[in-house]
PDB file of all heavy atoms in Angstrom:
ATOM      1  N   ILE A 302     -12.513 -24.815   2.889  1.00  0.00           N
ATOM      2  CA  ILE A 302     -13.041 -24.093   1.742  1.00  0.00           C
ATOM      3  C   ILE A 302     -14.527 -24.366   1.587  1.00  0.00           C
ATOM      4  O   ILE A 302     -15.337 -23.448   1.357  1.00  0.00           O
ATOM      5  CB  ILE A 302     -12.251 -24.467   0.474  1.00  0.00           C
ATOM      6  CG1 ILE A 302     -10.874 -23.804   0.526  1.00  0.00           C
ATOM      7  CG2 ILE A 302     -13.010 -24.067  -0.793  1.00  0.00           C
ATOM      8  CD1 ILE A 302      -9.917 -24.271  -0.544  1.00  0.00           C
ATOM      9  N   GLY A 314     -27.650 -16.019  -0.078  1.00  0.00           N
ATOM     10  CA  GLY A 314     -28.805 -16.663  -0.670  1.00  0.00           C
ATOM     11  C   GLY A 314     -28.544 -17.279  -2.025  1.00  0.00           C
ATOM     12  O   GLY A 314     -29.474 -17.729  -2.703  1.00  0.00           O
ATOM     13  N   ASP A 319     -20.770 -26.852  -2.809  1.00  0.00           N
ATOM     14  CA  ASP A 319     -19.425 -26.814  -2.240  1.00  0.00           C
ATOM     15  C   ASP A 319     -18.640 -28.085  -2.547  1.00  0.00           C
ATOM     16  O   ASP A 319     -17.406 -28.051  -2.633  1.00  0.00           O
ATOM     17  CB  ASP A 319     -19.476 -26.566  -0.733  1.00  0.00           C
ATOM     18  CG  ASP A 319     -20.272 -27.607   0.026  1.00  0.00           C
ATOM     19  OD1 ASP A 319     -21.493 -27.431   0.174  1.00  0.00           O
ATOM     20  OD2 ASP A 319     -19.666 -28.596   0.463  1.00  0.00           O
ATOM     21  N   ARG A 325     -12.398 -28.553  -7.683  1.00  0.00           N
ATOM     22  CA  ARG A 325     -11.755 -27.670  -8.670  1.00  0.00           C
ATOM     23  C   ARG A 325     -10.750 -26.725  -8.029  1.00  0.00           C
ATOM     24  O   ARG A 325     -10.380 -25.719  -8.631  1.00  0.00           O
ATOM     25  CB  ARG A 325     -12.832 -26.858  -9.396  1.00  0.00           C
ATOM     26  CG  ARG A 325     -13.825 -27.706 -10.149  1.00  0.00           C
ATOM     27  CD  ARG A 325     -14.667 -26.909 -11.117  1.00  0.00           C
ATOM     28  NE  ARG A 325     -15.612 -25.997 -10.492  1.00  0.00           N
ATOM     29  CZ  ARG A 325     -16.863 -25.814 -10.915  1.00  0.00           C
ATOM     30  NH1 ARG A 325     -17.311 -26.513 -11.964  1.00  0.00           N
ATOM     31  NH2 ARG A 325     -17.657 -24.951 -10.318  1.00  0.00           N
ATOM     32  N   TYR A 350     -15.966 -13.487   0.805  1.00  0.00           N
ATOM     33  CA  TYR A 350     -15.397 -14.816   1.027  1.00  0.00           C
ATOM     34  C   TYR A 350     -14.091 -14.700   1.811  1.00  0.00           C
ATOM     35  O   TYR A 350     -13.877 -15.442   2.783  1.00  0.00           O
ATOM     36  CB  TYR A 350     -15.151 -15.499  -0.323  1.00  0.00           C
ATOM     37  CG  TYR A 350     -14.446 -16.828  -0.237  1.00  0.00           C
ATOM     38  CD1 TYR A 350     -15.156 -18.018  -0.210  1.00  0.00           C
ATOM     39  CD2 TYR A 350     -13.057 -16.896  -0.177  1.00  0.00           C
ATOM     40  CE1 TYR A 350     -14.507 -19.240  -0.141  1.00  0.00           C
ATOM     41  CE2 TYR A 350     -12.396 -18.108  -0.108  1.00  0.00           C
ATOM     42  CZ  TYR A 350     -13.120 -19.271  -0.088  1.00  0.00           C
ATOM     43  OH  TYR A 350     -12.458 -20.471  -0.008  1.00  0.00           O
ATOM     44  N   ALA A 382      12.915 -22.287   1.738  1.00  0.00           N
ATOM     45  CA  ALA A 382      11.616 -22.770   1.273  1.00  0.00           C
ATOM     46  C   ALA A 382      10.651 -21.595   1.226  1.00  0.00           C
ATOM     47  O   ALA A 382      10.511 -20.858   2.206  1.00  0.00           O
ATOM     48  CB  ALA A 382      11.082 -23.848   2.219  1.00  0.00           C
ATOM     49  N   ALA A 393      -3.347 -17.276   3.567  1.00  0.00           N
ATOM     50  CA  ALA A 393      -2.334 -18.318   3.407  1.00  0.00           C
ATOM     51  C   ALA A 393      -1.435 -18.376   4.637  1.00  0.00           C
ATOM     52  O   ALA A 393      -1.115 -19.464   5.152  1.00  0.00           O
ATOM     53  CB  ALA A 393      -1.506 -18.046   2.153  1.00  0.00           C
ATOM     54  N   VAL A 427      13.373 -24.988  -8.037  1.00  0.00           N
ATOM     55  CA  VAL A 427      12.339 -26.026  -8.035  1.00  0.00           C
ATOM     56  C   VAL A 427      11.027 -25.403  -7.580  1.00  0.00           C
ATOM     57  O   VAL A 427      11.016 -24.583  -6.656  1.00  0.00           O
ATOM     58  CB  VAL A 427      12.724 -27.184  -7.075  1.00  0.00           C
ATOM     59  CG1 VAL A 427      11.606 -28.227  -7.016  1.00  0.00           C
ATOM     60  CG2 VAL A 427      14.044 -27.819  -7.483  1.00  0.00           C
ATOM     61  N   GLY A 430       4.029 -28.350  -6.967  1.00  0.00           N
ATOM     62  CA  GLY A 430       2.609 -28.050  -6.963  1.00  0.00           C
ATOM     63  C   GLY A 430       1.780 -29.237  -7.410  1.00  0.00           C
ATOM     64  O   GLY A 430       2.315 -30.253  -7.858  1.00  0.00           O
ATOM     65  N   ALA A 483      22.307 -33.268  -4.467  1.00  0.00           N
ATOM     66  CA  ALA A 483      23.625 -33.890  -4.632  1.00  0.00           C
ATOM     67  C   ALA A 483      24.092 -33.779  -6.071  1.00  0.00           C
ATOM     68  O   ALA A 483      25.273 -33.460  -6.339  1.00  0.00           O
ATOM     69  CB  ALA A 483      23.568 -35.345  -4.194  1.00  0.00           C
ATOM     70  N   ARG A 485      22.999 -31.530  -8.292  1.00  0.00           N
ATOM     71  CA  ARG A 485      23.154 -30.120  -8.655  1.00  0.00           C
ATOM     72  C   ARG A 485      24.474 -29.548  -8.161  1.00  0.00           C
ATOM     73  O   ARG A 485      25.169 -28.825  -8.900  1.00  0.00           O
ATOM     74  CB  ARG A 485      21.987 -29.310  -8.067  1.00  0.00           C
ATOM     75  CG  ARG A 485      21.930 -27.855  -8.518  1.00  0.00           C
ATOM     76  CD  ARG A 485      20.766 -27.130  -7.890  1.00  0.00           C
ATOM     77  NE  ARG A 485      21.012 -26.816  -6.499  1.00  0.00           N
ATOM     78  CZ  ARG A 485      21.542 -25.650  -6.088  1.00  0.00           C
ATOM     79  NH1 ARG A 485      21.885 -24.715  -6.964  1.00  0.00           N
ATOM     80  NH2 ARG A 485      21.722 -25.418  -4.804  1.00  0.00           N
TER      81      ARG A 485
END
Side-chain angles (χ1 to χ4, degrees):
I302 286 170
D319 58 271
R325 299 194 291 221
Y350 175 95
V427 177
R485 187 180 75 93

